Amino acid sequence: MTPVILLAGKSADVTNWPGRIGWLVGLALFVALVYWLMREGWKWRGTLQGDIPALPTAPDGTGPVKLSMSGRYHGSTTAGQWLDRIVAHGLGTRSRAELTLTDAGLEVERPGANDFFVPAAALRGARLDKGIAGKVLTEGGLLVVTWAHGDRLIDSGFRSDRSAEHTEWADALNKMIDHTEGAR
């Protein structure tokens, strides 16, 4: 038995080009509108958080390095409210980060974003958590540092390139905080 090969004729012409182009233009305009609304919402959140003072920078001579870590900065939120992202002064920008812990405090260097420094007296706690500001990881996959800035308590989330470092960092920060509070 030989197979029968049916040759189809010419396919149907697309006859409604203006309608198709109109739908594509409409879809592109809708996507642009949604993007613009998201951007305006981000800027509005920054305006509402205008009372947050400028971030401190690292002083000269912070002392010997206790710990250093390379990883990612995932954002900052109001302490205890893991979805209330803080965007003022670039704190909402995710980026690579280099963390350095010294006797003076915690220095956060972020290429392409604002660097900041958390003085030792402003540190309030460190813990391992699973999420912050829309980033959810496995249990203990995120180092969250709580610190005071102005009249606010802020949680900042970091993830090391080597997650085994998180416990060492949390212990060192909490020990430093206990020592600082005892000296007050």
Side-chain angles (χ1 to χ4, degrees):
M1 192 177 233
T2 56
V4 177
I5 300 174
L6 297 175
L7 297 175
K10 184 178 165 189
S11 63
D13 288 332
V14 176
T15 57
N16 191 4
W17 279 108
R20 289 179 186 249
I21 292 172
W23 274 104
L24 287 174
V25 169
L27 181 61
L29 289 173
F30 177 74
V31 169
L33 174 68
V34 168
Y35 176 77
W36 179 78
L37 288 171
M38 288 171 40
R39 183 170 167 79
E40 288 300 308
W42 187 267
K43 289 178 5 185
W44 178 250
R45 182 176 279 272
T47 302
L48 291 175
Q49 296 168 348
D51 63 330
I52 296 176
L55 298 173
T57 57
D60 294 331
T62 57
V65 174
K66 291 182 173 185
L67 287 173
S68 64
M69 174 173 76
S70 258
R72 294 207 52 86
Y73 168 78
H74 285 288
S76 292
T77 63
T78 302
Q81 299 176 16
W82 72 284
L83 289 176
D84 186 21
R85 183 187 297 268
I86 296 176
V87 300
H89 305 296
L91 286 175
T93 306
R94 290 185 179 164
S95 61
R96 293 282 308 156
E98 297 288 331
L99 272 64
T100 307
L101 182 65
T102 64
D103 288 331
L106 177 66
E107 184 176 357
V108 181
E109 294 179 24
R110 302 185 305 152
N114 297 340
D115 298 343
F116 62 95
F117 180 75
V118 180
L123 291 168
R124 296 294 183 261
R127 67 183 186 280
L128 301 182
D129 212 331
K130 64 180 179 181
I132 192 166
K135 181 67 175 179
V136 179
L137 302 162
T138 59
E139 190 66 45
L142 197 65
L143 172 67
V144 177
V145 179
T146 303
W147 53 289
H149 184 57
D151 60 349
R152 290 182 186 236
L153 282 179
I154 297 174
D155 283 342
S156 293
F158 304 95
R159 179 167 174 84
S160 173
D161 291 336
R162 294 172 302 280
S163 61
E165 294 178 330
H166 289 169
T167 304
E168 179 184 10
W169 269 83
D171 291 344
L173 283 163
N174 286 324
K175 185 176 179 181
M176 183 176 182
I177 292 163
D178 291 341
H179 183 266
T180 304
E181 287 178 354
R184 286 186 205 169

